[in-house]
Structure formats: C-alpha cells, structure tokens
Amino acid sequence: PYVTRLRNLTGEAVHLSVPGKTTVMHLIRETSESVVMVIPRLGEQVPYHSTAVGKALLAFLPEQGERLRAQPVERFTEHTIVDPADLLVEIATVRQRGYAVEDLENDIDLRAVAAPVFDHLSVAIGALGITAPSSRLLPEHLPGLGQTVAEGAGALSAALGFGGLDLRPEPLPRSTSY
C-alpha cells in the first residue's frame, strides 16, 4: 500500500527495492499513470552507485560502500559518479538530506529520487524510489519529490517498527556573547 499510495500521490512510477551483495533488486512496483512512463521490471538488479535506490541504501549500509570502493565502478552516462571521493561526498549528502537523487546517471532519459526504509532494528532493508522520464521530472522538481519519497519511506519504516534515527548534523554550540 505504501508503494501504491506514493504512485497515486505523484502519478509517477514507484518501486520498493532491496539490497543485494553487489546490486539492488526491484521487489515491488507501481507504474506511472502517464502515457509516457517508466516501468521498473520486477526482479531487475540495478547498480548501487548510479541509481537513487542504490545511493539511498549506500548511505546507511557501510559494508556495501566498502565493497563498492574495492573495485572500479561502471560509467553508464557522462553523469555517472565514478570517482570514489565524489561518491563519498554524494553519500554524505544523502545521509544529510534523507533522500538520494539520480540525475541522468544510470540512463540519460531518467531521473529518480529514493529514500531508505528501515526495520525495527534500525537497519536499512530497502529503498522506496520514484522514477520518471527526464523530460517530465526536471531538476527543480527533485527537492520536493525527494521530501515526498522520504516521507513515504518514513511511514513505511514506522509501520515496520522503526523508532527513527536523528539524521540531522550536531548543532553548533551557541555563543552567549550576543
């Protein structure tokens, strides 16, 4: 129901994906309501480093990041992040904002956002993602859609018994001299 609810809210393709040893697999999906649509294939295995669902999981599964850094990653488009240092910065950004972005990185015609789904033990067990054609999902839409997917993933995580993580950075000490 969480996948369907998010698809109904956004009108775009939504999928729930789970981590594997070397790839992420699409487990549940709902297709877009548009004539021009993305159809995530059930059972399809996609890379961690070039997909929103993969990056959402990488941010909270350090062992996957270690595996990824141990071998070269494939460049799928000119936008694919292949430099390990750049990927680490991207993963840190995902942790800070609570959702991942795929901006023409796995396929030049697609953009996506995704957020991690946590279980009752605070383990990232999946990622909820929204994918759309890049002609319709423009860069300026990504922050709002990212918040939407993060809220959907948060609701699913809560249903699984997740108590929450404080993903915000530590506050800076306040000065009393003002």
Side-chain angles (χ1 to χ4, degrees), residues 36 49 81 87 107 109-110 116 135 148:
V36 176
H49 73 287
I81 300 171
L87 191 55
D107 184 305
D109 296 319
L110 300 178
S135 60
T148 300

Side-chain angles (χ1 to χ4, degrees), residues 70-156:
Q71 59 191 11
V73 294
E74 185 176 349
R75 180 181 298 280
F76 296 102
T77 75
E78 64 184 285
H79 304 283
T80 306
I81 300 171
V82 294
D83 180 83
D86 292 340
L87 191 55
L88 286 173
V89 169
E90 179 75 4
I91 297 311
T93 301
V94 171
R95 286 185 65 87
Q96 182 179 16
R97 72 178 169 218
Y99 66 89
V101 169
E102 173 188 335
D103 192 4
L104 316 174
E105 296 167 60
N106 199 58
D107 184 305
I108 199 70
D109 296 319
L110 300 178
R111 285 195 178 92
V113 293
V117 174
F118 298 95
D119 68 5
H120 66 288
L121 299 172
S122 301
V123 174
I125 58 165
L128 196 56
I130 301 171
T131 304
S134 56
S135 60
R136 187 167 60 240
L137 180 50
L138 304 176
E140 58 266 25
H141 300 145
L142 295 172
L145 204 55
Q147 283 301 120
T148 300
V149 77
E151 290 167 7
L156 177 52

